[in-house]
């Protein structure tokens, strides 16, 4: 029996455009580094970043 890889929650909205001023993705609010390393982060680190995304996105909308 093959083991299944657990699904990793992602905030990606498939709107991959970086804001040049803030260096955050306009779709999800993550940095390039966070996007690139998302699947290798610990669940705790991903959860922490997820708690920050709403505030980041609010800053982008200003």
């Amino acid at each position: 029996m093959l083991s299944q890889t657990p699904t990793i929650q992602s905030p990606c909205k498939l709107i991959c455009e970086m804001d040049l001023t803030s260096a955050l993705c306009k779709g999800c609010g993550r940095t390039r580094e966070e996007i690139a390393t998302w699947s290798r982060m610990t669940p705790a680190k991903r959860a922490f970043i997820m708690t920050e995304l709403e505030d980041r996105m609010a800053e982008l909308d200003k």
Side-chain angles (χ1 to χ4, degrees), residues 2-14:
L2 296 174
S3 64
Q4 292 184 347
T5 304
T7 302
I8 296 173
Q9 182 183 12
S10 173
C12 182
K13 302 210 182 342
L14 300 176

Side-chain angles (χ1 to χ4, degrees), residues 12-52:
C12 182
K13 302 210 182 342
L14 300 176
I15 304 171
C16 304
E17 182 181 343
M18 299 306 285
D19 178 76
L20 298 178
T21 304
S22 67
L24 297 173
C25 175
K26 292 180 182 180
C28 67
R30 294 179 293 172
T31 65
R32 286 183 190 271
E33 181 180 355
E34 290 168 344
I35 292 167
T37 60
W38 193 254
S39 64
R40 296 187 307 272
M41 287 180 186
T42 65
K45 178 69 173 171
R46 285 193 302 269
F48 175 75
I49 293 169
M50 294 286 284
T51 66
E52 295 187 328

